[in-house]
Amino acid sequence: MSPQPNRGKSSLFFGSIPTSQKQRDYLNKGTIKYLLFLGSLVISITNLYPVAAHQVEVAADVGATLHIEPNDNPSAGEPSQTWFALTRRGGKVIPLAQCNCRLAVYAKPYAAGEPPLLEPALEPVAAERYKGIPGAEVVFPKPGIYELQLNGKPVSGARFKPFKLKFEVTVADGSTDDSRNRQDVNGDLGEGESQKLPLWAIALPILGFIGILFVVLQNMRGSGE
């Protein structure tokens, strides 16, 4: 009698699951690990390279979203329309008419008690879906890092707590002439500018993510045949 093929080995060691199923399970686990790793990498890189992202700060029961035209990238020496979308807890908008607000602009770093560099007058503006919110035209004198402080108290009849909100703003050089000889408000121009990653540094992990996903799917398809 000829020996029968040993078809029970895979069942003996792996139970009733066929070897191909084991391979697919292994590939599935590997895929999840790669996706989680590359997803975290892409998120961390995009966080280092913000594009036109509004700043949001919260104090007490008041929150504010800062936006500076154009595209949250102000240039030195050029008027920049600045507005604050003030809201109470729960999302109700606080118009300038209900807030005794004051805007102060400081060049960083600055000492405690130092007077502000600028105190632009606030006016009610309409921006996006907001109406009557605080806004001002700000002209940053030099490139560098600034701090915008918005202080506010409720007027009679308004219901929110006094607040003090701080926003950090990076201002770029508004002119290409003699840029090598200019210094920003922080001393060294290179230290004052924000660090930005090139586009290829963002595209590379995304392309790697797509490539690995394609290879894994091809392997899974080959294992299933």
Side-chain angles (χ1 to χ4, degrees):
M1 182 174 12
S2 60
Q4 295 294 326
N6 192 354
R7 298 178 180 177
K9 280 190 175 181
S10 60
S11 298
L12 180 62
F13 290 97
F14 302 110
S16 59
I17 303 177
T19 304
S20 60
Q21 182 64 40
K22 284 289 185 181
Q23 292 174 347
R24 286 195 292 269
D25 291 342
Y26 176 79
L27 289 173
N28 286 337
K29 292 180 180 179
T31 303
I32 293 174
K33 291 180 179 179
Y34 275 116
L35 294 181
L36 291 175
F37 172 76
L38 290 174
S40 301
L41 181 62
V42 171
I43 291 173
S44 62
I45 290 178
T46 53
N47 284 338
L48 291 174
Y49 192 79
V51 180
H54 299 347
Q55 292 189 51
V56 179
E57 295 292 339
V58 178
D61 59 346
V62 175
T65 301
L66 168 67
H67 179 71
I68 302 178
E69 298 291 350
N71 301 322
D72 293 307
N73 292 307
S75 297
E78 300 177 5
S80 299
Q81 184 62 40
T82 305
W83 51 263
F84 301 86
L86 278 176
T87 57
R88 289 173 49 188
R89 183 176 299 169
K92 186 176 181 180
V93 177
I94 302 175
L96 183 60
Q98 296 180 8
C99 178
N100 183 11
C101 294
R102 173 178 171 267
L103 176 61
V105 180
Y106 294 86
K108 296 187 70 175
Y110 63 92
E114 180 180 337
L117 181 67
L118 301 170
E119 291 185 278
L122 292 169
E123 297 181 353
V125 299
E128 296 183 358
R129 61 185 180 89
Y130 304 100
K131 294 182 179 180
I133 57 176
E137 187 176 83
V138 181
V139 180
F140 298 97
K142 296 179 180 180
I145 301 177
Y146 293 80
E147 183 176 278
L148 274 61
Q149 292 186 11
L150 182 66
N151 301 335
K153 297 179 180 180
V155 301
S156 179
R159 296 183 178 180
F160 59 88
K161 297 178 181 179
F163 63 86
K164 182 176 183 179
L165 301 169
K166 298 180 181 181
F167 302 85
E168 188 174 283
V169 175
T170 300
V171 178
D173 192 348
S175 173
T176 57
D177 297 335
D178 299 327
S179 59
R180 293 183 180 179
N181 298 326
R182 295 189 180 186
Q183 288 188 339
D184 65 0
V185 292
N186 307 322
D188 187 2
L189 178 62
E191 294 177 359
E193 294 180 344
S194 60
Q195 301 296 322
K196 294 185 178 181
L197 294 176
L199 293 178
W200 63 264
I202 299 177
L204 187 60
I206 297 176
L207 293 176
F209 176 91
I210 297 174
I212 292 177
L213 180 61
F214 176 80
V215 172
V216 171
L217 291 176
Q218 289 292 101
N219 291 338
M220 292 177 64
R221 182 179 300 175
S223 300
E225 293 178 352

